[in-house]
Amino acid sequence: QRRVHGDSLHDLAMDLIENDESSHIRIAVVCASNMNRSMEAHCLLQKRGYDVRSFGTGTQVKIPGPSADRPNIYEFGTTYDFMYNDLCRKDLELYTTNGLLNMLDRNRKTKPAPERWQACTAHFDLVITFEERVFDAVVEDMQSRSQNLGVPVHIVNFEIVDNQEEAILGTRVMMQLLQQFEESDDWQEEMQEIIPNFEARVNRELIHTVMFY
């Protein structure tokens, strides 16, 4: 296995961006709070050299607390670093044991803070959501926007259960879909063939629609 550190890691990432045509696909990955599933995908895709951003569709960022009815709630834009330190102050042992501090450490090394999809004005070629209600929220938001440019965006829902283990496993299965896009001469034109083939191969059902900017 090739191991790289420091500047070598940065150089490798730059080589991937320059040499991998997939990096020209502008990708958004979206879950509810921009904490677990979308950030696992963001981290992996960024390391692979993709042009990727991540978002949540909720009104606030909610992560597990000391009990099911006492979640930790933050506003979008609150830095991951602040959340990390806040949880350390609240209960270092609990949030170390349940993996939240490890998750937040990964997140803060990937980008500064969670972002809300509805506040983003950037354009993407492909949006991947990880829950049907998140897919519905993205579609609803796109329908509310001006669509006078006629530029297509493919929105695909790839269902992943919202826990850390499933996020890791599911994201790596999702990568197989992106690899099929890479192998296609025109992934947008061939989407109606790629998705059924992928569904059959991994035994998962996707939801796909096309919206326009």
Side-chain angles (χ1 to χ4, degrees):
Q1 286 186 325
R2 183 181 179 189
R3 294 179 182 272
V4 291
H5 301 278
D7 292 339
S8 297
L9 182 59
H10 179 266
D11 292 342
L12 175 59
M14 291 303 101
D15 288 343
L16 283 167
I17 291 171
E18 290 173 2
N19 298 325
D20 188 348
E21 291 186 0
S22 67
S23 65
H24 299 303
I25 303 175
R26 296 167 298 180
I27 301 173
V29 286
V30 190
C31 64
S33 289
N34 199 195
M35 282 293 303
N36 179 31
R37 295 164 293 182
S38 63
M39 285 305 297
E40 179 65 33
H42 187 157
C43 184
L44 178 62
L45 294 180
Q46 187 168 275
K47 288 178 179 177
R48 299 281 180 94
Y50 285 87
D51 180 358
V52 60
R53 290 180 64 183
S54 60
F55 303 92
T57 56
T59 55
Q60 294 175 307
V61 175
K62 296 181 181 180
I63 56 178
S67 62
D69 61 344
R70 294 169 58 198
N72 289 287
I73 300 176
Y74 304 95
E75 298 301 319
F76 277 93
T78 304
T79 67
Y80 294 119
D81 193 56
F82 176 89
M83 297 180 200
Y84 182 94
N85 291 322
D86 189 43
L87 296 190
C88 285
R89 177 183 58 80
K90 287 178 176 177
D91 194 329
L92 178 61
E93 182 178 358
L94 170 64
Y95 296 117
T96 299
T97 301
N98 68 11
L100 276 180
L101 292 180
N102 184 61
M103 178 194 298
L104 284 165
D105 189 47
R106 174 205 62 197
N107 292 358
R108 66 181 180 175
K109 292 175 180 176
T110 304
K111 69 174 191 176
E115 300 172 82
R116 191 165 186 255
W117 166 264
Q118 292 87 339
C120 177
T121 58
H123 290 185
F124 300 95
D125 303 308
L126 174 66
V127 179
I128 301 175
T129 63
F130 299 111
E131 187 175 343
E132 188 169 351
R133 69 185 177 100
V134 173
F135 174 89
D136 291 340
V138 170
V139 170
E140 181 180 357
D141 177 68
M142 288 297 300
Q143 290 173 334
S144 72
R145 301 187 185 197
S146 172
Q147 300 180 29
N148 56 358
L149 295 179
V151 178
V153 52
H154 290 264
I155 306 172
V156 176
N157 185 65
F158 181 84
E159 198 80 15
I160 296 178
V161 176
D162 191 11
N163 64 55
Q164 295 176 58
E165 181 179 358
E166 289 297 322
I168 293 170
L169 296 174
T171 296
R172 278 142 187 80
V173 176
M174 179 206 69
M175 280 298 305
Q176 298 177 33
L177 178 62
L178 296 182
Q179 287 165 3
Q180 290 193 28
F181 293 158
E182 293 173 29
E183 295 165 1
S184 170
D185 293 329
D186 189 337
W187 67 272
Q188 297 196 58
E189 286 294 325
E190 297 177 6
M191 183 71 87
Q192 297 302 326
E193 298 176 12
I194 292 174
I195 286 183
N197 290 339
F198 175 77
E199 289 176 320
R201 185 152 60 86
V202 302
N203 195 30
R204 285 176 180 251
E205 184 174 345
L206 277 60
I207 307 173
H208 168 239
T209 192
V210 182
M211 304 293 294
F212 293 89
Y213 289 107

